[in-house]
Amino acid sequence: MSEVAIILSDLYLAANGRGGVDDRDSAVPKDALPALARIARFAGVSPLPGDWRGWLAAWLGRGDVSATCDASPAVIAAAAPGAAGPAPASGSVWLATPLHLIAGLTSVHLDYRGLLQLDAATLTALCEDFDQVFAERGFSLHRLGGSGLIATGPVFAQLPLTKDPARLLGGGIAGSTVQGPGAAQLLMLGAEIEMWLHAHPLNAVRARQRQAPLTTLWLWGGGKPLDPARALPPTPALHPQATFMTVFGADPLLAGLCALSGARLRPPVMSAHELLNSGAARTAAVIELFHTDKPQPATLLDLLQHLDEMVLAPVITALKDGVIRQLTLVANDRCSVLTARDGLRFWRRSRGPWAVLQ
């Protein structure tokens, strides 16, 4: 193995607040995040030109679809083998993310645990019911691999601007849902979906099980399906390492992106052992930091400490031992690249772990 990339797909920290990074670091116990601190000290850090999805596409040898990954990830997700119900060439596809939104007196809030993971039976039932209710509007809902959902619908004369809900975790969403030309059609559909789910039997079952209700399907990242010629995987002559790339993760885009790049897709990684024994020359792990089995309350520091100990520290040890030659950490629209030789630069002063995240 030569390279490992770790992507924190749902970690978006606000811009420096009243005290900025230094105040954040002062609140972190000494040596609480040693692996992150090492990356912060020795890695080369640069801002991403777009989203992590576009970066991963280029890393997997499909830089030609990087812009599509950033602006319209649903288009890439729909390219996955077996993606049910592909939209016609003149139609549109949208990622449909199940959310639990908390309504306050003056705002709507998306909690850190608001990205819901629904089981297979629930997803299937949801798709069947959605199709019965919204068929006349020309929309249909389909399952992707894992827990992903994709909506297909009519063409949009002008695509509205939408946001990845992961970017809104922990904050209000007022004015953040859909913007720009063409927004009215999607906003109207979203309002109808919320009313439909409010009375859906699924939420009565979730209430009995003391689970947070499903309040909406967040439609975002939409666009026109890929031209079949662009959906072809790379030829071995152009990308000889394609079959030696592995991606761990459950993001709905990954199956399509792996199909386009020739990389293997595996379930979300649970430890560094799986990463380092993937058998691939290049291995990436897309990790949802806030999708955790840790009991509440689990603070951001708790989650980062678990990541630091179980994933980052063993990978850094492998880097020091020469098992891999490069570690890349992508988080909060920043890319940090660490090589074994970087650790020889002892003159670099220590930096707090937040420096690599914000």
Side-chain angles (χ1 to χ4, degrees), residues 23-49:
D23 275 6
R24 286 182 180 272
D25 283 333
S26 66
V28 177
K30 186 178 180 180
D31 300 326
L33 301 169
L36 269 175
R38 182 175 181 84
I39 295 172
R41 179 181 181 184
F42 294 113
V45 183
S46 59
L48 294 181

Side-chain angles (χ1 to χ4, degrees), residues 23 52 72 78 89 143 150 166 284-285 298 308 327 348:
D23 275 6
W52 66 264
S72 304
R143 287 190 58 192
I150 195 164
D308 200 272
L327 166 64
R348 288 191 174 182

Side-chain angles (χ1 to χ4, degrees), residues 45-229:
V45 183
S46 59
L48 294 181
D51 188 64
W52 66 264
R53 296 173 177 88
W55 178 90
L56 181 59
W59 194 78
L60 292 174
R62 288 305 303 255
D64 58 315
V65 297
S66 289
T68 304
C69 286
D70 287 341
S72 304
V75 171
I76 304 300
S90 61
S92 60
V93 291
W94 302 87
L95 289 173
T97 303
L99 297 184
H100 168 62
L101 299 175
I102 301 173
L105 292 177
T106 59
S107 64
V108 179
H109 184 82
L110 179 57
D111 185 75
Y112 282 108
R113 296 208 173 197
L115 295 176
L116 300 182
Q117 301 289 331
L118 305 180
D119 60 65
T122 299
L123 291 170
T124 299
L126 201 60
C127 290
E128 293 174 353
D129 294 348
F130 183 98
D131 290 354
Q132 291 179 5
V133 174
F134 295 98
E136 292 185 2
R137 295 282 306 275
F139 284 91
S140 183
L141 189 67
H142 313 276
R143 287 190 58 192
L144 294 171
S147 59
L149 291 171
I150 195 164
T152 61
V155 65
F156 278 62
Q158 292 180 295
L159 286 172
L161 301 176
T162 58
K163 281 190 176 181
D164 179 352
R167 290 182 174 272
L168 304 174
L169 287 173
I173 65 169
S176 301
T177 52
V178 187
Q179 298 174 336
Q185 184 178 355
L186 201 61
L187 284 169
M188 184 179 298
L189 177 62
E192 293 179 11
I193 290 174
E194 290 184 21
M195 290 188 290
W196 167 63
L197 288 173
H198 180 72
H200 198 283
L202 161 68
N203 279 323
V205 174
R206 292 182 68 84
R208 289 195 296 269
Q209 297 174 345
R210 297 188 176 182
Q211 295 178 324
L214 169 62
T215 56
T216 192
L217 295 175
W218 183 285
L219 301 182
W220 66 285
K224 181 180 178 181
L226 275 182
D227 183 281

Side-chain angles (χ1 to χ4, degrees), residues 176-341:
S176 301
T177 52
V178 187
Q179 298 174 336
Q185 184 178 355
L186 201 61
L187 284 169
M188 184 179 298
L189 177 62
E192 293 179 11
I193 290 174
E194 290 184 21
M195 290 188 290
W196 167 63
L197 288 173
H198 180 72
H200 198 283
L202 161 68
N203 279 323
V205 174
R206 292 182 68 84
R208 289 195 296 269
Q209 297 174 345
R210 297 188 176 182
Q211 295 178 324
L214 169 62
T215 56
T216 192
L217 295 175
W218 183 285
L219 301 182
W220 66 285
K224 181 180 178 181
L226 275 182
D227 183 281
R230 295 185 67 199
L232 294 175
T235 63
L238 292 176
H239 298 282
Q241 285 193 321
T243 56
F244 298 101
M245 298 185 296
T246 295
V247 179
F248 292 85
D251 188 272
L253 168 131
L254 295 181
L257 187 54
C258 286
L260 295 176
S261 65
R264 293 181 300 169
L265 179 62
R266 296 181 60 180
V269 68
M270 301 301 293
S271 69
H273 176 79
E274 297 174 73
L275 273 177
L276 297 173
N277 290 276
S278 70
R282 309 181 85 191
T283 302
V286 178
I287 297 175
E288 296 174 84
L289 192 67
F290 294 103
H291 180 214
T292 173
D293 294 329
K294 292 175 68 68
Q296 290 192 9
T299 66
L300 176 58
L301 181 57
D302 292 332
L303 298 174
L304 287 174
Q305 284 181 313
H306 182 76
L307 174 78
D308 200 272
E309 178 183 355
M310 301 301 296
V311 179
L312 294 179
V315 173
I316 287 178
T317 298
L319 184 67
K320 293 179 182 177
D321 294 343
V323 176
I324 62 173
R325 67 175 182 85
Q326 181 172 297
L327 166 64
T328 302
L329 176 66
V330 176
N332 202 31
D333 294 329
R334 297 165 69 86
C335 178
S336 304
V337 180
L338 182 67
T339 68
R341 292 184 61 85

